[in-house]
Amino acid sequence: MTSDFEPPYWAVIFTSKRTSGQDREYDDTAARMERLAEQIPGYLGIESARGPDRLGITVSYWATLEAIESWREHPDHIEAKSRGRSDWYDWYELRIARVDRAVTSHPGQEP
Amino acid sequence: MTSDFEPPYWAVIFTSKRTSGQDREYDDTAARMERLAEQIPGYLGIESARGPDRLGITVSYWATLEAIESWREHPDHIEAKSRGRSDWYDWYELRIARVDRAVTSHPGQEP
């Protein structure tokens, strides 16, 4: 993500354990959700990593809680979340946090 | 991590791009840092994922900002961070955030 914005802003920390299988459909949906989220006013960026143990962490960043709420209520997102719960995740944790401080090794640069 | 604690608490979101090579020494140090952090009063838990593109996200959770400060100032941690900057990371971003809401699919269970 870019580091061009200053705290405070908001982070949605989504930690999940993927089930095995259905990688293609999951990957397609994840990519589509990312493109949709980018269109929500107040979206700032996203970072995502998943290791070979299938544990993944995705952090999305938002200017306001209202922007997070808009994304939470998007019909396509609601549908994807339902698939996630039934098919794609063994378990997940979702946290909403206010970012108060940010430090970067590449000021002003996009990774 | 366990989900037995209630917000508000604090999250340190560390996003990084690993350089290639030196995996063993990096992995050893990361494991040692995790064991050290667990001994800091106020440490709540940690989650970590790194994908094949070497982008990693580690989120550690803390009861107070004072606990984060204690960990930040730990001499072994300071030394590890110095190695990280010089050898292990192409870039990193570190954010401190206050977790206000948490939802889990496995209440009371440890993943």
Side-chain angles (χ1 to χ4, degrees):
Chain A
M1 71 180 295
T2 69
S3 303
D4 293 341
F5 43 92
E6 290 294 314
Y9 52 88
W10 296 83
V12 177
I13 306 167
F14 182 74
T15 307
S16 64
K17 185 85 160 186
R18 280 278 283 118
T19 52
S20 16
Q22 300 187 335
D23 283 330
R24 174 67 176 279
E25 195 181 2
Y26 172 78
D27 291 344
D28 287 351
T29 303
R32 189 163 57 85
M33 288 304 114
E34 195 170 323
R35 290 193 301 272
L36 277 177
E38 285 168 7
Q39 295 167 26
I40 306 278
Y43 168 90
L44 298 176
I46 196 165
E47 295 167 339
S48 201
R50 188 174 303 277
D53 61 356
R54 294 183 284 118
L55 180 83
I57 302 174
T58 296
V59 190
S60 57
Y61 299 96
W62 305 85
T64 63
L65 283 175
E66 290 70 28
I68 294 173
E69 192 62 19
S70 297
W71 176 230
R72 199 176 73 86
E73 294 174 347
H74 192 294
D76 290 17
H77 188 203
I78 288 173
E79 190 183 331
K81 284 188 285 193
S82 171
R83 282 297 308 280
R85 278 190 297 269
S86 61
D87 294 336
W88 291 326
Y89 300 122
D90 282 335
W91 56 260
Y92 61 84
E93 295 179 340
L94 182 137
R95 294 179 174 88
I96 298 179
R98 192 190 68 201
V99 178
D100 287 327
R101 259 185 68 196
V103 177
T104 172
S105 67
H106 50 84
Q109 277 191 311
E110 188 153 4
Chain B
M1 71 179 297
T2 69
S3 304
D4 293 341
F5 43 91
E6 290 293 314
Y9 52 88
W10 296 83
V12 178
I13 307 166
F14 182 73
T15 307
S16 64
K17 184 85 161 189
R18 280 276 284 116
T19 52
S20 19
Q22 300 187 335
D23 283 330
R24 175 68 176 281
E25 195 180 0
Y26 172 79
D27 291 344
D28 288 351
T29 303
R32 189 162 58 84
M33 287 305 113
E34 195 169 324
R35 290 193 301 273
L36 276 177
E38 286 169 6
Q39 295 167 25
I40 306 278
Y43 168 91
L44 298 176
I46 196 165
E47 296 167 337
S48 201
R50 188 174 302 279
D53 59 357
R54 294 183 284 118
L55 182 85
I57 302 174
T58 296
V59 190
S60 57
Y61 298 96
W62 304 84
T64 63
L65 283 176
E66 289 70 27
I68 294 173
E69 192 62 19
S70 297
W71 176 230
R72 201 176 71 87
E73 293 174 349
H74 192 294
D76 291 18
H77 188 203
I78 289 173
E79 190 184 331
K81 283 187 286 191
S82 170
R83 283 297 309 280
R85 278 190 296 268
S86 61
D87 295 337
W88 291 327
Y89 299 123
D90 282 336
W91 56 260
Y92 61 84
E93 294 180 341
L94 182 138
R95 294 180 175 88
I96 298 180
R98 192 190 69 202
V99 178
D100 288 326
R101 258 186 68 196
V103 177
T104 172
S105 67
H106 50 85
Q109 277 191 310
E110 187 154 2

